[in-house]
Amino acid sequence: MMLTVEEARQRMLATIPVLPIEKRDILDCHGYVLAEALYAAEDIPPFDNSAMDGFAVQSADVIGASEARPAVLSIVETLAAGDAPTKPVGSGQAARIMTGAMMPSGADAVVMQEVTRPQNGGVNIFEGVDENENVRFAGESVTRGALVMEPGKHLRPPEISMLASLNCSAVKVHRKPTVAIVSTGDELTRLGEPLEPGKIRDSNRYGIYAQVEEAGGVPIDMGIAPDDEAETERIFRAALSQADALITSGGVSVGEYDVVKSVLERLGEIHFWRVAMKPGKPQAYGIADGKPIFGLPGNPVSSLVVFELFVRPALLKMAGHSALLRPTFKATLAEDVANSDGRVNYMRAILTEEDGEWNARTTGPQGSGILHSLVLANGLITIPKGVTLQAGETVAAQFF
Ligand code: AMP
Ligand code: MG
C-alpha cells in the first residue's frame, strides 16, 4: 500500500519518543527545549528607575515650563545607574539621574536632559512632563510570581537573556538527540580517495550530517557500510548502541544488493514504506530498542528531501519541540509544471518575493540524482499528483 506523506508522517511521529530531561547551565542551553515551567521570583525591573538621562522631578513643578519661562530647580544629588538615592526630591528640587538609576522618593517623572540647562548649581527646565513620564516601573516587564516560560519553549537568545533576568543559572531541558549516520553501498568512495571505474563519492553522509545539525541534533559519523549483510549488521548495531536514533542511506529499494532491508528487519520493528511522494518513494522506518531508525533512499535528492519531510520533524519531537513542521505558504508559478505521476512531487524551486507575493520557478532538471537541483533551490513546491499547472496558478511552498 502507498501511504500519503501526511499519513506516513503521522504514523511515524506517533511512535517517536521525547527524550529525557537533563539540567543544563545557562551558557550551554541555547537551542534546547525547556522542560519545566519558570516563574519569576523577583520583579523585573526590581525597582522604579529612569528611562532617560535627565532630571527626576515632581511633575507639578514643571507644568507649562518653556524656553521663555523655565522652571528653576535646585539639585539634591546625582544618581548614576547602580546608586541608591539618599535624598527625597521635594517641591522646587530635582535629582540629576542617569538611565537605569533608581527613582528617588518624591519624584514622579524624569525630564530628559535635552530640554534642560545647568544654571548656578541648579537646573533650568524648558518643557513640562506628565506624571510617570520616562519612568520604568518595578515589575513592568515581569511581575514577581508570574509564569514567564512554559515547558516546550525553545531557548533562543531572548529566552537565554530572560533566564539571566530571572536569576536562573541552570534549567531543565530535553536532551538533544544523538544521531548515528551510515551510508551504504559498494560504489561509495571516501573523500580524498581516487575514484575507480564504477564508483561515486559518498555525498549523502555529509548532507545528512549537516541536516542533523540544522535540526538541532548531534550527528555521529559512522562511515560507509559495504553491501554485505554481516558487516552492515555489525555497523548498524554499533551505531544504535551509541546514539538515540539511526539514519541509513541507500539499500532500501528492490535491487539485488539492497541488504539494508534484511538487516533492518533483524534489528527491530521496521516498516518498509512506499510513500506516495517524488522524490523518495522507497524508505524504511521503524523502532529498535525504543530508538527510531530511518532508512533513507540512496539517491541524493531523495535522501535530503525525505530527511526534510520526515526525519527533521522526528528529531524536533525527540528534542521536546511541539511545532514540528516548517510553515508553508502560497506561491505563484512562474512557469507551467506537469506532474503526470500518481505521487505528489516536491519540486526544487527558487522562491522570490515581489510586492508581498511569493513567486516560484523550478531549478531545471528534477531527477532524484541531480543534487544541483537542490543547491540552486531555496525551497520546495508541492505539485499534487496527476495535475498540470499553468504559470500564474498557485502552489504550496516551503523554504528548504
Ligand atoms: P540504492 O537505493 O542503494 O540502490 O541507491 C540509489 C542510488 O543512490 C544509486 O545510484 C546509488 O549509487 C546512490 N547512492 C546511494 N548512496 C549514496 C551516497 N551515500 N551518496 C551518493 N549517492 C548514493
Ligand atoms: Mg545501494
Side-chain angles (χ1 to χ4, degrees):
M1 181 191 54
M2 285 254 253
L3 297 168
T4 66
V5 169
E6 289 72 24
E7 282 166 352
R9 188 159 53 203
Q10 237 172 38
R11 285 194 197 187
M12 180 272 295
L13 284 174
T15 66
I16 295 291
V18 177
L19 291 177
I21 292 165
E22 62 185 6
K23 194 132 185 166
R24 295 195 78 85
D25 188 85
I26 182 170
L27 285 180
D28 205 14
C29 66
H30 177 212
Y32 284 78
V33 178
L34 192 64
E36 61 181 323
L38 291 178
Y39 294 86
E42 300 161 356
D43 276 339
I44 307 173
F47 49 84
D48 298 352
N49 67 92
S50 177
M52 291 276 179
D53 294 326
F55 292 87
V57 300
Q58 297 194 353
S59 54
D61 279 351
V62 298
I63 292 172
S66 66
E67 191 69 38
R69 295 180 150 273
V72 180
L73 304 176
S74 63
I75 297 176
V76 296
E77 65 178 333
T78 295
L79 299 170
D83 287 347
T86 61
K87 299 194 176 89
V89 170
S91 184
Q93 296 180 321
R96 173 97 176 93
I97 195 165
M98 311 306 156
T99 303
M102 191 171 186
M103 284 293 286
S105 66
D108 64 6
V110 172
V111 178
M112 64 177 180
Q113 182 162 320
E114 289 82 342
V115 298
T116 69
R117 199 176 309 130
Q119 175 79 18
N120 300 332
V123 61
N124 284 1
I125 294 191
F126 304 109
E127 250 182 43
V129 277
D130 292 333
E131 196 179 340
N132 298 337
E133 204 171 325
N134 301 327
V135 179
R136 304 186 290 213
F137 288 96
E140 76 173 22
S141 169
V142 171
T143 311
R144 186 177 160 200
L147 174 61
V148 185
M149 288 187 244
E150 295 188 66
K153 192 88 177 105
H154 186 205
L155 299 178
R156 305 164 305 161
E159 285 77 21
I160 306 289
S161 227
M162 180 59 85
L163 290 179
S165 296
L166 295 172
N167 193 29
C168 276
S169 54
V171 282
K172 288 181 185 166
V173 295
H174 291 281
R175 232 158 37 66
K176 281 186 178 179
T178 52
V179 185
I181 303 160
V182 188
S183 283
T184 72
D186 282 344
E187 75 278 31
L188 301 181
T189 304
R190 287 180 181 75
L191 305 192
E193 290 176 8
L195 266 191
E196 305 292 344
K199 311 288 188 192
I200 60 167
R201 297 284 171 207
D202 171 15
S203 61
N204 289 352
R205 191 153 46 94
Y206 299 90
I208 295 168
Y209 193 101
Q211 284 185 302
V212 168
E213 280 187 331
E214 192 274 335
V218 181
I220 303 173
D221 177 14
M222 297 297 293
I224 300 170
D227 289 327
D228 168 84
E229 280 210 36
E231 184 58 4
T232 298
E233 179 163 351
R234 190 191 66 72
I235 293 172
F236 283 9
R237 287 195 189 278
L240 264 183
S241 73
Q242 54 187 284
D244 299 311
L246 169 63
I247 302 176
T248 70
S249 89
V252 290
S253 197
V254 294
E256 194 121 343
Y257 300 98
D258 289 339
V259 300
V260 170
K261 293 176 84 166
S262 46
V263 171
L264 287 182
E265 260 158 1
R266 286 201 293 280
L267 291 182
E269 177 86 5
I270 311 289
H271 312 279
F272 294 90
W273 281 351
R274 290 166 64 240
V275 179
M277 63 182 283
K278 191 181 164 179
K281 178 169 66 175
Q283 38 183 296
Y285 170 69
I287 300 264
D289 301 331
K291 298 176 178 181
I293 297 178
F294 303 92
L296 301 185
N299 279 305
V301 175
S302 310
S303 166
L304 286 153
V305 170
V306 172
F307 183 105
E308 169 71 17
L309 298 180
F310 290 88
V311 185
R312 184 176 183 274
L315 297 184
L316 292 181
K317 181 172 177 189
M318 292 176 85
H321 287 274
S322 46
L324 305 181
L325 302 182
R326 286 199 211 267
T328 59
F329 51 93
K330 278 203 159 73
T332 305
L333 285 170
E335 65 194 85
D336 299 350
V337 294
N339 178 15
S340 54
D341 214 287
R343 307 175 276 164
V344 50
N345 192 341
Y346 289 89
M347 284 191 164
R348 280 71 76 198
I350 297 164
L351 304 170
T352 50
E353 199 233 67
E354 205 186 313
D355 303 329
E357 304 270 309
W358 286 95
N359 298 314
R361 62 199 160 90
T362 66
T363 53
Q366 298 281 306
S368 60
I370 302 178
L371 188 52
H372 212 215
S373 69
L374 265 174
V375 172
L376 295 173
N378 66 348
L380 296 174
I381 53 176
T382 311
I383 315 300
K385 62 180 179 185
V387 301
T388 299
L389 299 174
Q390 245 92 84
E393 293 194 78
T394 58
V395 287
Q398 65 189 95
F399 288 112
F400 184 97

